Amino acid sequence: MAGVRISKREMQIMETLWTQGEASIREMWEAFPEKKRPGYTTVQTMVYRLEAKKAVRRVRKVGNFHMFAATVSQAAAQRRLIDELLAVFGGRSRPVVAHLIEAGKLTLDDVEFAEKTLKELKKGGKA
C-alpha cells in the first residue's frame, strides 16, 4: 500500500470489496448511487487500475466475469489517507482537530477514545 494513491471513486470500489469480501465489476458498478453512477466501462477501468496498483486482485472466474477482492485492508487505506491529509498541514494534527471541533464532528466519545488510546500508547512506551 505504501506509495499507492487511491482516488475518491476508487475508494468507493474498495468499500464495496471490504463490505462484500469479493465482487464482480457489475456488482461494484451497482454499488454506486444511481444518480452519480459512472458508466460501467469507467468502473471497469478503475478496477483494472486498482489491480495494476496491487490494491485488488482477481480471485476467481465465474462464467464470463471475474470476481475481485481487496488486497489492501480498510485500516491501511484509511491510515494512508490520514497521513496524506496531515502532510498538507506539515504533519500537525491541531488544525485538523480544531476544524473537527468547530464543525461539530468531534464527539465526546471520540475524545474519550483518543484519551484511552494515548494512555495505552504511553503504557506501552510508544508515546
Side-chain angles (χ1 to χ4, degrees):
M1 179 67 188
V4 176
R5 295 188 86 116
I6 298 178
S7 72
K8 183 177 180 179
R9 277 198 165 169
E10 289 172 338
M11 280 297 279
Q12 287 179 275
I13 289 170
M14 296 299 292
E15 288 288 343
T16 301
L17 294 173
W18 291 321
T19 302
Q20 296 182 17
E22 46 181 66
S24 67
I25 292 173
R26 178 158 306 281
E27 290 169 325
M28 291 180 246
W29 174 73
E30 289 172 346
F32 280 87
E34 197 170 338
K35 289 184 178 184
K36 295 184 178 186
R37 186 177 291 161
Y40 178 86
T41 56
T42 301
V43 174
Q44 184 178 40
T45 299
M46 289 189 292
V47 170
Y48 293 156
R49 286 183 182 159
L50 285 167
E51 186 178 31
K53 294 176 183 182
K54 301 202 183 314
V56 303
R57 66 180 173 87
R58 296 173 200 224
V59 290
R60 60 191 168 97
K61 187 172 183 177
V62 179
N64 288 339
F65 60 91
H66 288 93
M67 297 297 288
F68 293 84
T71 59
V72 173
S73 72
Q74 186 173 20
Q78 289 172 342
R79 280 192 300 273
R80 169 81 177 160
L81 287 172
I82 292 166
D83 288 345
E84 288 176 8
L85 174 65
L86 290 176
V88 170
F89 295 98
R92 296 182 316 267
S93 61
R94 283 188 181 183
V96 177
V97 173
H99 172 74
L100 292 172
I101 292 168
E102 291 165 6
K105 297 191 186 235
L106 191 67
T107 66
L108 185 55
D109 283 344
D110 295 330
V111 173
E112 289 170 355
F113 174 78
E115 287 175 341
K116 179 183 170 194
T117 304
L118 286 170
K119 286 177 185 176
E120 289 172 5
L121 286 173
K122 191 173 184 179
K123 281 183 187 176
K126 296 179 183 176

